[in-house]
Amino acid sequence: MTAVGTSLKPEVIGSSASWVMLGLIFAVMLTTVFRVVHHAECLAVIFGEPFGTLILTLSVIGIEVALITAVMLNGDNNPTLARDTMFSVLMIVMNGLVGLSLLIGGLRHGLQTFNLSGANAYLVVLLPIAITSLVLPSVTTSAGGGGLSPVQTVFQVMMSLVLYGIFLTYQTLGKPEIFRQPAEEIPTVGGSSAHDLEPKGIAYHVVGLLLAMLPIVLLSKMLAVYVDFKIGELGAPVALGGFLVAAMILTPEALAALDAAKSNQLQRAVNICLGSAVATIGLTVPAVLIASGIVGRPIELGLGSAEIVLLSLTLGISILTFVGTRTNALQGVVHLAAFMTYVFLIFDS
């Protein structure tokens, strides 16, 4: 096995063959991601909202956690991998995906409605865990280089898990009705394609979901090796690796959110987008911090000054977008402008 693994290293097989291998790895992993989401959507049909969107979100975040931790445990030391991937997920869902959803839904239906209380619940949890995870380490002096001291690490793990646990309880047992489409708003076209599925049973889809995640974990190290090699070969920014991984993970979820917005089910799109953002910080941060402690490798969560400005802009725009109960295409354009700023910032760095 070691000989086979060595013979498949990108520097051994050459530049042209490494492009082919990278394409194959991406294709296999993207296919398995779609299988994971398929089983998650079947479970979503069985359980209904808000449990359906929650299962989809947790499945995608599970893939993200599995990818990052597998690379941390088995791959070369990359202290900024988790930070870059999490920040990319936030920018993609909070700006790119929200922007496209609002633009497509606004152009097709004009003003769209959602449940204000549900959106506010996401944002009020996202703000403290995002700031303390990605911004605070950059300005504290107890650990250098955007890292966390042992005390900060314990506090961040506990706070993230407690806040997300309380949020899940509120979403599923406390006030699940605020995460559903307002009753007076009837979709003008057919519902999301997820509801056209024919589930085969809870046990079948749970087992299928877990088995579909296995190839993702097994191939994650090889993906990281090839992405890092190509980034170095092309002289591309290091942060591009996190962006590509995040984009692959979020592709099926993005399609589900855009389908919901097109079907005038904006609340489902909001649940997917904001739910992914909250789960990314609330679950991925504790997972990578624990993994970092297990393997004894340093991890940097603190963002640079430019990224902090962009994160603040994103949170500010999101608060203004979801301050009312109706959205329009103009708000989508503003979010997309912030997303393009992030993309250009990757290459400008």
Side-chain angles (χ1 to χ4, degrees):
M1 285 296 284
T2 303
V4 173
T6 302
S7 65
L8 290 178
K9 286 186 175 181
E11 57 268 21
V12 174
I13 65 176
S15 179
S16 299
S18 63
W19 278 115
V20 176
M21 282 297 298
L22 180 59
L24 288 174
I25 295 171
F26 254 103
V28 172
M29 295 187 71
L30 189 58
T31 300
T32 55
V33 168
F34 271 99
R35 292 307 301 168
V36 169
V37 174
H38 167 74
H39 289 294
E41 288 187 330
C42 287
L43 291 171
V45 174
I46 295 174
F47 291 106
E49 292 293 340
F51 298 96
T53 302
L54 179 60
I55 292 171
L56 176 61
T57 298
L58 292 180
S59 299
V60 173
I61 298 305
I63 296 172
E64 178 188 342
V65 171
L67 274 169
I68 296 175
T69 53
V71 173
M72 287 180 61
L73 293 172
N74 301 305
D76 297 329
N77 185 29
N78 186 352
T80 63
L81 171 70
R83 180 197 68 191
D84 292 341
T85 303
M86 286 187 290
F87 185 62
S88 294
V89 169
L90 287 179
M91 293 299 102
I92 291 172
V93 298
M94 298 290 287
N95 287 325
L97 194 48
V98 167
L100 279 176
S101 297
L102 298 184
L103 179 61
I104 292 174
L107 291 177
R108 184 159 185 170
H109 304 286
L111 295 177
Q112 290 187 291
T113 64
F114 63 95
N115 200 313
L116 176 62
S117 297
N120 285 342
Y122 286 114
L123 291 174
V124 77
V125 175
L126 177 62
L127 281 168
I129 56 178
I131 296 300
T132 57
S133 298
L134 300 177
V135 177
L136 193 60
S138 297
V139 297
T140 53
T141 58
S142 53
L148 281 77
S149 68
V151 174
Q152 283 180 296
T153 299
V154 173
F155 171 77
Q156 193 61 54
V157 169
M158 296 300 298
M159 189 188 75
S160 299
L161 291 177
V162 168
L163 275 180
Y164 192 71
I166 293 174
F167 171 77
L168 282 185
T169 303
Y170 183 76
Q171 184 182 24
T172 56
L173 301 176
K175 293 290 183 180
E177 63 274 9
I178 70 173
F179 299 95
R180 301 184 183 124
Q181 187 71 30
E184 67 272 12
E185 183 67 19
I186 302 175
T188 56
V189 296
S192 174
S193 60
H195 301 283
D196 297 331
L197 299 172
E198 296 182 1
K200 296 182 179 180
I202 296 176
Y204 173 84
H205 292 296
V206 169
V207 173
L209 188 150
L210 295 176
L211 290 177
M213 290 184 66
L214 188 59
I216 298 173
V217 178
L218 296 177
L219 289 173
S220 58
K221 178 183 177 181
M222 186 175 291
L223 174 68
V225 169
Y226 274 87
V227 169
D228 288 343
F229 176 78
K230 284 302 177 184
I231 287 176
E233 185 180 58
L234 298 174
V238 176
L240 183 61
F243 174 79
L244 294 175
V245 172
M248 181 193 67
I249 296 170
L250 292 171
T251 296
E253 197 173 31
L255 296 177
L258 296 179
D259 180 64
K262 184 175 66 174
S263 301
N264 204 21
Q265 296 180 355
L266 185 61
Q267 185 62 50
R268 176 170 168 80
V270 169
N271 289 345
I272 291 174
C273 297
L274 298 187
S276 289
V278 174
T280 291
I281 304 298
L283 296 179
T284 308
V285 166
V288 298
L289 288 175
I290 293 172
S292 173
I294 292 174
V295 299
R297 292 180 177 178
I299 183 172
E300 296 180 12
L301 292 182
L303 296 170
S305 55
E307 287 80 10
I308 290 175
V309 171
L310 191 53
L311 177 62
S312 302
L313 174 64
T314 298
L315 294 173
I317 294 174
S318 299
I319 292 172
L320 293 176
T321 295
F322 298 110
V323 73
T325 58
R326 292 182 179 272
T327 61
N328 54 61
L330 174 61
Q331 293 167 313
V333 173
V334 173
H335 279 273
L336 288 175
F339 177 70
M340 294 307 301
T341 303
Y342 159 68
V343 173
F344 283 111
L345 183 64
I346 292 177
F347 293 96
D348 183 63
S349 61

